[in-house]
């Protein structure tokens, strides 16, 4: 089973600043990686898939990069609605796994 | 509009059985995989498994193999997640979700979640 490790666990950022979240896979997943956002009491929402493609309706301030084992989600200028928990997820050989999440909180 | 609507919250005792549901609408139910994801209280997301309602092909995460059963009834566009003997550690929110495209692996949309509480 591929293990996904996210860092940091918590990221304190001021509104308007840039946030950079990392996700590492225990073995190569090529570009088979997605990012989700989850707010309290809500189901997760897909942000990025295929490592770098924004899902429908996702603002351009969200961008994803990476391939193989190292991936990054960047939020270029944090808005108040972006404070949430972010998860990466890989899918390989009919099996998916999520990272443990990064909480983005207001500094 | 594509929608997944899950059954309501459940409160059960250890050892009891349970089957929760996820009804799809607004798309061809038999053409898309449906997945189940667990979220224990205050914890992260865990990928449990997926089913293809067209032929009931099912894949499980090793962590959940033998612990739960995923099934589907394509005649009523509904997927299920069931337990034969619940444990307190099964207390969690359970989400169903569908891939964004028929050949894809990324979940969107998601159901609203079903909260399962197991307590004596």
């Amino acid at each position: 089973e591929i293990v996904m490790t996210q860092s940091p666990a918590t990221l304190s950022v001021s509104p308007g600043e840039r946030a950079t979240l990392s996700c590492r896979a225990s073995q190569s997943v090529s570009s088979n990686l997605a990012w989700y956002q989850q707010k309290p009491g809500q189901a997760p929402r897909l942000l990025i898939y295929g490592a770098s493609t924004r899902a429908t309706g996702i603002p351009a301030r969200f961008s994803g990069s990476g391939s193989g084992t190292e991936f990054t989600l960047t939020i270029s200028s944090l808005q108040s609605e972006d404070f949430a928990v972010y998860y990466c997820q890989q899918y390989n050989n009919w099996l998916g796994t999520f990272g443990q999440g990064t909480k983005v909180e207001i500094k | 509009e594509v929608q997944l609507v899950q059954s309501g919250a459940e409160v059960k005792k250890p050892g009891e059985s349970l089957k929760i549901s996820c009804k799809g609408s607004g798309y061809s139910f038999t053409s898309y995989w449906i997945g189940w994801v667990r979220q224990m209280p205050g914890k992260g997301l865990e990928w449990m498994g997926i089913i293809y309602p067209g032929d009931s092909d099912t894949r499980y995460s090793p962590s959940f193999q033998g612990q739960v059963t995923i099934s589907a009834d394509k005649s009523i566009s509904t997927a299920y997640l069931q337990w034969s003997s619940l444990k307190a550690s099964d207390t969690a929110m359970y989400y169903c979700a569908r891939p964004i495209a028929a050949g894809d692996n990324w979940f969107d949309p998601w159901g609203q979640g079903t909260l399962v509480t197991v307590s004596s």
Side-chain angles (χ1 to χ4, degrees), chain A residues 35 48 63 104:
Chain A
W35 291 92
I48 302 284
S63 63
V104 177

Side-chain angles (χ1 to χ4, degrees), chain A residues 32 36 38 49 91 94 96, chain B residues 33 39 47 59 105-107:
Chain A
N32 292 322
Y36 298 85
Q38 188 180 32
Y49 62 93
Y91 187 86
W94 300 103
Chain B
W33 293 82
Q39 188 166 38
W47 197 97
R59 313 296 174 112
N105 311 310
W106 318 117
F107 290 143

Side-chain angles (χ1 to χ4, degrees), chain A residues 11-22:
Chain A
L11 187 61
S12 297
V13 185
S14 299
E17 287 188 342
R18 182 186 195 92
T20 302
L21 289 67
S22 296

Side-chain angles (χ1 to χ4, degrees), chain B residues 2-8 21-25 36 77-79 96 110-114:
Chain B
V2 176
Q3 274 195 312
L4 297 173
V5 178
Q6 298 185 229
S7 49
S21 66
C22 169
K23 183 173 177 61
S25 63
W36 287 94
S77 301
T78 301
C96 65
W110 294 60
Q112 82 277 20
T114 295

